[in-house]
Amino acid sequence: MITSVVKWIFVVFIFVIVLVIVFTLFSLKETKHQNAVNVSGGMNEMVTVEDIEVGYRIYGKGQPLVLIMGYGSTMNLWEDNFLESLSEHFKVIIFDNRGMGETSTGEKKFSIEQFSKDTLGLLDALGIKKAHVLGWSMGSYIAQELASRNPDRVNKLILYASAPNPTMFPPSSDVLAKLEDTSGTPEEQGARWIGLLFPEKWIENNGKRIQEIFYRPMGTILPENIGKQSMAIGEWKGLEKRLSLLSHHTLLVAGKEDVLVPPANSLYLKEKLPKSDIELIEGTGHGFMFQEPTQFLQLVIGFLKK
């Protein structure tokens, strides 16, 4: 009998493998998009943080804003228009999590807690005493750990597609079945995955937009490190019993049609975090920031400037 936690780890692993397939398929189709990365002026930099070399970029000036990427991807997934617009208001820092993209794997065990220590180490290395923090999906789990363990280092907090515990309000059995389905060609698997990231109606009318999202090189994504990230998510106990440690003004953002991290998770967080605001967006899923980039940008800037 497979326990729910083990099953969750397996499902996340399959999910991220398919994510890599999608990125690989799209990035190989057209090489003309290779120059689309980094148009907003950020330059790749490296800095030592304990046992790893962290790859990062900085855009703009002003109050620091750290963006923490979700599982199975690199900082290249943040879109240039988003970064460029944010950089008009903030000093934006993006980086690759341990073992992804430009950041080395190191010797320490992958865990959400360790990823938060890596993020804190990056802030220390860059001389940043306090920053706004935005985390997406797994990145929001890292953000929760960072803020709860180092409350004086985080200003405002944005938790996008977040959960108090990944197994508390999990995907439905239908979604889990689709995630576990490894049949068909890589293209067919990729299409199924995209169908979970975005609502069906939106996909039908936005083929060109999907190309814009995925026709970009994502950098180095090693399968063994994807597996380690999956284990880290499965082993994370969450902040369900420690949410009182999050005293920061927090914005909770979720797509109303997010089937991967259901919005019930954000609603629960809203109940437990007295200094939180919530935005549940109609007609959007886990990839809300790609579906409605202008609305997402306005929410982020409006909250941080308020």
Side-chain angles (χ1 to χ4, degrees), residues 6 9 20 63-64 87 90 126 129 138 143-144 147 150 152 168 178 194 238 243 267 271 281 285 290 296:
V6 172
I9 293 172
V20 175
Q63 274 193 308
S87 70
F90 307 101
L126 298 179
K129 295 182 178 180
M138 185 191 81
Q144 288 183 50
N150 310 276
D152 59 326
M168 190 171 182
K178 290 179 181 178
I194 289 174
L243 286 173
L267 289 170
E271 290 179 2
I281 313 302
F290 300 115
F296 182 65

Side-chain angles (χ1 to χ4, degrees), residues 2-74:
I2 300 177
T3 67
S4 60
V5 173
V6 172
K7 185 173 183 179
W8 176 256
I9 293 172
F10 172 74
V11 167
V12 171
F13 180 74
I14 294 296
F15 173 76
V16 184
I17 287 294
V18 176
L19 171 64
V20 175
I21 291 172
V22 172
F23 286 145
T24 302
L25 286 172
F26 280 114
S27 64
L28 290 178
K29 282 186 176 180
E30 293 190 9
T31 57
K32 68 181 181 180
H33 296 273
Q34 296 293 313
N35 294 325
V37 176
N38 249 8
V39 297
S40 45
M43 299 296 293
N44 286 339
E45 302 285 352
M46 300 294 295
V47 67
T48 301
V49 176
E50 295 189 1
D51 64 322
I52 57 175
E53 294 294 317
V54 177
Y56 70 96
R57 299 184 203 128
I58 295 179
Y59 302 79
K61 298 179 180 179
Q63 274 193 308
L65 167 60
V66 177
L67 308 184
I68 308 179
M69 179 47 65
Y71 53 78
S73 194
T74 68

